[in-house]
Amino acid sequence: MRSKFDEQLALLNNELIEMGSMCEEAISLVATALTTGDTKTLHQITAVDEEIDRQERDIEGLCLKLLLQQQPVARDLRQISAALKMITDMERIGDQAFDIAEIIPFLEGRTGEESTLVHKMAEAVIKMVTESIDAYVKRDTELAKETIAHDDIVDAYFNEVKTTLIGMIAGRPQDGEYALDLLMIAKYFERIGDHASNIAEWVLFSVTGVHEGD
């Protein structure tokens, strides 16, 4: 019975890795579109976001099956409940990547220093998402803590982007709409960083039984 349960836990880990990978792909797609000015991203990101939604439903079903059909011990319960929380954050990451993709066409292909800053912010966010999932699979509390700390870097990038764009609006009022669109994109990336940090907090809970956000 326990071996069967362990097999299903391994499947849960694999599904989470796959969902995390799709989140990374979603962020990478919109980050590349910002750099290249590609407006075809919306079609691609729609398919990725739908796949993330499907994975959320599948993982939720697997977690409920583990809870109802097996007899998990306390550590298992923490791992399963953490997974249920994590997929909610990952689903929101997909949604926010989609929101970014919807804004990109309004930038009309413009790229520049301010877009480069947002791209660096996106790279930092991808790192957070990747490492938060790795921390869960490896039960690595130190990596989870590093991920949470990395959110400060994302916040610093957001503040830099915000300062740059406010300066742009003040100096070139005709670019105000462009600057506001880019600021909204940066805000979505900042929120994605928050979700990755949430995932890392649930990793700590799954291992220690203590939720850092409480």
Side-chain angles (χ1 to χ4, degrees):
M1 181 68 74
R2 180 68 206 190
S3 62
K4 177 65 175 178
F5 184 79
D6 287 338
E7 287 176 10
Q8 291 181 315
L9 278 180
L11 176 61
L12 173 60
N13 285 344
N14 290 336
E15 292 287 335
L16 281 167
I17 293 169
E18 178 62 26
M19 190 173 179
S21 176
M22 296 301 291
C23 290
E24 292 170 45
E25 181 180 351
I27 304 166
S28 295
L29 280 169
V30 293
T32 300
L34 277 173
T35 303
T36 63
D38 181 10
T39 58
K40 299 176 183 177
T41 305
L42 185 57
H43 176 72
Q44 294 174 285
I45 200 67
T46 297
V48 175
D49 186 39
E50 288 174 352
E51 178 63 17
I52 290 171
D53 290 344
R54 184 195 64 76
Q55 289 171 329
E56 182 192 25
R57 293 190 296 272
D58 288 350
I59 293 172
E60 184 178 45
L62 177 57
C63 287
L64 293 176
K65 184 185 295 184
L66 284 166
L67 290 171
L68 295 173
Q69 295 183 357
Q70 306 293 342
Q71 295 181 326
V73 297
R75 186 184 69 177
D76 299 326
L77 283 171
R78 291 199 304 269
Q79 187 173 355
I80 296 165
S81 60
L84 285 167
K85 295 289 186 178
M86 289 163 61
I87 59 174
T88 299
D89 280 297
M90 284 193 278
E91 189 273 336
R92 289 174 182 168
I93 287 171
D95 287 347
Q96 284 160 0
F98 177 82
D99 290 336
I100 292 170
E102 285 191 310
I103 297 172
I104 287 175
F106 293 99
L107 302 179
E108 298 180 340
R110 290 183 60 174
T111 59
E113 179 185 357
E114 59 281 349
S115 293
T116 301
L117 281 174
V118 177
H119 185 80
K120 289 180 179 178
M121 187 178 179
E123 290 177 340
V125 166
I126 292 170
K127 176 180 172 68
M128 287 184 69
V129 172
T130 301
E131 293 187 349
S132 64
I133 302 301
D134 285 348
Y136 172 81
V137 174
K138 297 173 183 176
R139 300 181 64 79
D140 187 336
T141 57
E142 289 306 311
L143 184 57
K145 290 175 183 177
E146 288 172 15
T147 302
I148 294 168
H150 200 74
D151 193 38
D152 291 339
I153 295 174
V154 173
D155 290 343
Y157 272 129
F158 177 68
N159 289 332
E160 187 177 357
V161 169
K162 184 166 60 175
T163 300
T164 300
L165 294 175
I166 289 172
M168 175 186 286
I169 293 170
R172 302 200 304 271
Q174 67 272 23
D175 286 332
E177 188 172 343
Y178 165 76
L180 288 174
D181 283 339
L182 208 52
L183 182 59
M184 181 60 71
I185 288 172
K187 184 60 181 177
Y188 280 129
F189 278 129
E190 190 265 341
R191 289 176 182 170
I192 290 172
D194 289 342
H195 288 305
S197 183
N198 289 345
I199 291 169
E201 288 177 1
W202 286 112
V203 170
L204 291 176
F205 167 77
S206 72
V207 177
T208 67
V210 177
H211 184 237
E212 296 291 316
D214 294 337

